Amino acid sequence: MPNPLPSSDDTAEAASGLRAYSRSLPMALLRAREAVMQQFRPTLRRHGVTEQQWRVLRALHSRNGLEVTELARATCLLPPSLSRILRDLEARKLVERRPVDNDLRRARISIAPNGVALIEEVAPDSEAIYVEITRRFGAARLAELQGMLAALEVALADMGGDPEGQGAED
C-alpha cells in the first residue's frame, strides 16, 4: 500500500511541530508490515495458526529450546500474550515446556514434533509467497531493505525508549 497523499491533517500537524502523519516512520513500517502479512494470513488461517502462534513456532524452529523471556524478546511479544499463546500451542501439542534444572520457576520452551510437522507443511506455501514478493519487489531491493531494517534496529538499540517492547503487540 503506497503512502497516503498529504492531507490537511498533515499540514495541521506540521504547523504544530509534529511530523506529517503520512511521513511517520512507525506508520510506514506498520503499513509495510500489513502489506506483507496480507500475503501470509490466508496460508496461516488454512493451517489453523494465528500470526503470533506462527511467529513463536518459527522462532523455536530456528532456535529451539528458549526460555520464556528469551522467546518473548525474540518474537516481540509481551509476556502475558506469550503465556496465552504458549498455553494454546501446548494444548495442541505443538510446543513443549520443561522446567529449567536449577530454577523450577523458569521454563524452557521447545518445538514439539507436531510443531515441526506443521512448519514443514506450511513451508512450501510460505516459500512460494516469498518468491512472489521477491519477484515483485526485486531480490536486490529486498536484501537492501532487510539490511537497512537490521541497521536501523542496531542504530536505535541504545537510544532508550521502551525496553519491554510495549507496543510491539500485533
Side-chain angles (χ1 to χ4, degrees):
M1 173 186 325
N3 273 350
L5 295 174
S7 68
S8 59
D9 290 342
D10 289 342
T11 305
E13 287 174 340
S16 69
L18 283 174
R19 178 177 304 270
Y21 183 74
S22 63
R23 304 288 300 159
S24 162
L25 181 58
M27 288 309 302
L29 291 169
L30 283 170
R31 286 190 302 269
R33 180 192 182 282
E34 185 59 25
V36 170
M37 289 311 301
Q38 282 179 5
Q39 310 312 308
F40 288 94
R41 281 188 192 112
T43 297
L44 296 178
R45 271 195 300 273
R46 239 185 349 269
H47 292 280
V49 292
T50 67
E51 294 172 41
Q52 296 85 359
Q53 289 171 337
W54 181 248
R55 201 180 321 163
V56 168
L57 291 170
R58 288 281 286 128
L60 290 172
H61 189 255
S62 69
R63 294 175 22 196
N64 200 10
L66 293 172
E67 288 193 31
V68 175
T69 54
E70 295 170 314
L71 184 57
R73 209 172 12 262
T75 57
C76 298
L77 290 165
L78 295 174
S81 295
L82 180 58
S83 293
R84 178 183 37 81
I85 291 164
L86 288 175
R87 194 170 47 246
D88 294 344
L89 292 173
E90 282 181 279
R92 293 176 60 189
K93 300 189 183 326
L94 297 173
V95 301
E96 299 168 342
R97 179 188 308 254
R98 290 190 180 88
V100 173
D101 291 337
N102 57 352
D103 186 349
L104 298 179
R105 295 169 297 169
R106 294 178 17 223
R108 192 161 201 79
I109 310 298
S110 299
I111 192 165
N114 288 347
V116 172
L118 179 60
I119 293 279
E120 291 171 355
E121 188 179 324
V122 175
D125 291 338
S126 179
E127 281 308 306
I129 293 165
Y130 273 108
V131 166
E132 182 60 15
I133 290 170
T134 303
R135 186 189 72 74
R136 288 173 178 245
F137 194 65
R141 288 175 68 200
L142 189 56
E144 181 182 8
L145 175 62
Q146 289 175 319
M148 290 174 69
L149 290 170
L152 177 63
E153 187 177 355
V154 169
L156 301 181
D158 64 352
M159 191 170 157
D162 186 0
E164 296 300 315
Q166 305 292 322
E169 289 303 296
D170 291 334

